[in-house]
Amino acid sequence: HVRKVVHVAGALGNAFFLQLAARSSTSASAAVWISLGAFMGRMQNAGYWVNMVDICPETAATIMGMSNTMGTIPGIVGQT
């Protein structure tokens, strides 16, 4: 349950801080809110990356590399 809580907290925190950045009055406060939003986005990804270790602990790096490759191909093909 911890992963679900961290994932949801990261998503909601990211949305919250980006909304604060959009409504901030100074560029300095906007930079702080965006930084906190980026941190929350990374917190959200923590639950995703650890799943690779759960799937196959012995070859987690290979599985992660394959996952990144499959996720990158649409971005490359979509540009042409």
Side-chain angles (χ1 to χ4, degrees):
H1 294 340
V2 172
R3 286 186 202 166
K4 290 179 185 178
V5 170
V6 170
H7 187 77
V8 170
L12 294 176
N14 193 1
F16 176 73
F17 286 124
L18 290 179
Q19 287 297 319
L20 287 176
R23 290 169 171 72
S24 65
S25 58
T26 65
S27 60
S29 63
V32 170
W33 298 132
I34 289 173
S35 297
L36 288 171
F39 170 76
M40 296 303 276
R42 290 292 139 206
M43 189 172 99
Q44 181 182 7
N45 286 339
Y48 169 75
W49 291 114
V50 77
N51 284 331
M52 306 299 181
V53 177
D54 287 343
I55 292 171
C56 189
E58 298 85 21
T59 58
T62 304
I63 299 293
M64 192 175 297
M66 290 170 46
S67 171
N68 284 338
T69 300
M70 296 313 255
T72 303
I73 289 173
I76 295 169
V77 173
Q79 296 295 323
T80 57

